Amino acid sequence: MIRAVTIIGTGRVGGAIAKRLYDRGVMVHAIAHRDFATWLATHAPIGQALILAVSDAAMSDVVRAIAASTHSLIDVVALHVNGSLRPYVLQPLTALGATIASAHPFQTFATDDPTALDGIGWGVECTDDDWPLIDRLVHTTGGLPVRLADMTDDRKRMYHAAAVAASNFTYAAYQLGRDLADAVGIPADVMLPPIMQRTCANAIGALQTDAPFGMTGPIVRGDVEGVQRQLDALPAEQRLIYAQLGLALVEVVKHRHSTATIDAMRDVLRER
């Protein structure tokens, strides 16, 4: 079982992991980014795992500071939870005896609510020797570890881009929907959630059954004039977002229509 861990970084991700592990009986030392160098120099043991939950930009500086503040990491697995970085960014810690890994919770965190960890996949890069410990760690958080095979820097960035596409990019569409609802005077909090929830449920069902996504609307139908009319009706500040999202959707559905229809659709959207 996982007995003790140290987490550097108490933001949304680090905070959620710390709360969940603590609730499940793990001794957790959670250290704010600004305080970790002093803590590491004066405290021991670190535990079975040293978890770095800091930003990509801060990672190198944090690793160097750990290496300068710690005498030994023998029998410790040092891992980070960042989605786009490989384990080798932790390489300086191997000189202290640590083994290194990465274990990324494939989730979006608006807060440090630990329920965001329930039932999610974690993308893991580690050695065979470290897999049993990381497997237990992820299961203790309520997650499902998935080993990432044949990783390169570019493939790891593609992996992370999949998470960005499934979460962050959708907010551009949600914000457009909210703005247009406000513009026509309908309550966004009443009108939008049901269609958003149904769309998400339909998408999940399609993923689980390997079926096409159940898309609708004028772009999906190839209705060039319908798209033109919608664009003409939109307030100027919303036209650009509609056009950009529309062009992305055209690329998704282009196999459904003739080249002439797709070219006409692109021309209409690019004009905006």
Side-chain angles (χ1 to χ4, degrees), residues 108 163-181 192 196 234 237-249:
T108 181
V164 171
S167 59
N168 291 341
F169 284 176
T170 62
Y171 287 111
Y174 296 157
Q175 187 62 54
L176 178 60
R178 172 191 272 174
D179 290 345
L180 293 175
L192 296 187
M196 292 163 65
L234 295 185
E237 58 268 27
Q238 273 82 55
R239 286 178 191 161
L240 177 61
I241 296 177
Y242 180 102
Q244 290 173 330
L245 292 172
L247 284 167
L249 185 57

Side-chain angles (χ1 to χ4, degrees), residues 151-216:
M151 280 293 106
T152 63
D153 287 351
D154 282 346
R155 283 176 62 84
K156 190 64 178 287
R157 295 183 187 110
M158 288 171 61
Y159 155 87
H160 191 241
V164 171
S167 59
N168 291 341
F169 284 176
T170 62
Y171 287 111
Y174 296 157
Q175 187 62 54
L176 178 60
R178 172 191 272 174
D179 290 345
L180 293 175
D182 291 344
V184 298
I186 60 173
D189 60 325
V190 173
M191 305 296 279
L192 296 187
I195 194 170
M196 292 163 65
Q197 290 167 344
R198 177 59 61 179
T199 300
C200 186
N202 290 345
I204 291 170
L207 289 171
Q208 292 174 335
T209 59
D210 196 26
F213 293 123
M215 296 175 285
T216 62

Side-chain angles (χ1 to χ4, degrees), residues 82-115:
N82 299 54
S84 59
L85 298 179
R86 304 286 312 287
Y88 67 73
V89 299
L90 306 179
Q91 189 66 37
L93 304 184
T94 62
L96 302 174
T99 56
I100 57 175
S102 64
H104 169 247
F106 203 85
Q107 179 61 290
T108 181
F109 293 85
T111 69
D112 61 358
D113 180 0
T115 63

Side-chain angles (χ1 to χ4, degrees), residues 7-156:
I7 301 175
I8 297 176
T10 54
R12 290 173 288 184
V13 179
I17 295 170
K19 288 179 179 179
R20 174 52 55 81
L21 292 176
Y22 179 81
D23 288 344
R24 297 195 170 173
V26 178
M27 180 181 293
V28 178
H29 299 294
I31 311 159
H33 184 178
R34 63 183 178 277
D35 300 327
F36 73 89
T38 300
W39 190 94
L40 289 173
T42 57
H43 287 71
I46 284 173
Q48 294 153 282
L50 174 62
I51 301 172
L52 278 67
V54 301
S55 69
D56 290 13
M59 186 67 69
S60 294
D61 288 342
V62 171
V63 170
R64 283 194 292 269
I66 292 171
S69 305
T70 309
H71 298 298
S72 175
L73 291 174
I74 294 172
D75 296 327
V76 173
V77 178
L79 64 93
H80 67 72
V81 296
N82 299 54
S84 59
L85 298 179
R86 304 286 312 287
Y88 67 73
V89 299
L90 306 179
Q91 189 66 37
L93 304 184
T94 62
L96 302 174
T99 56
I100 57 175
S102 64
H104 169 247
F106 203 85
Q107 179 61 290
T108 181
F109 293 85
T111 69
D112 61 358
D113 180 0
T115 63
L117 297 164
D118 291 339
I120 68 169
W122 289 58
V124 176
E125 288 187 272
C126 69
T127 66
D128 289 343
D129 288 342
D130 287 339
W131 170 252
L133 184 141
I134 295 176
D135 178 70
R136 291 195 301 273
L137 177 67
V138 172
H139 276 104
T140 301
T141 69
L144 304 169
V146 176
R147 290 191 77 172
L148 304 178
D150 302 320
M151 280 293 106
T152 63
D153 287 351
D154 282 346
R155 283 176 62 84
K156 190 64 178 287

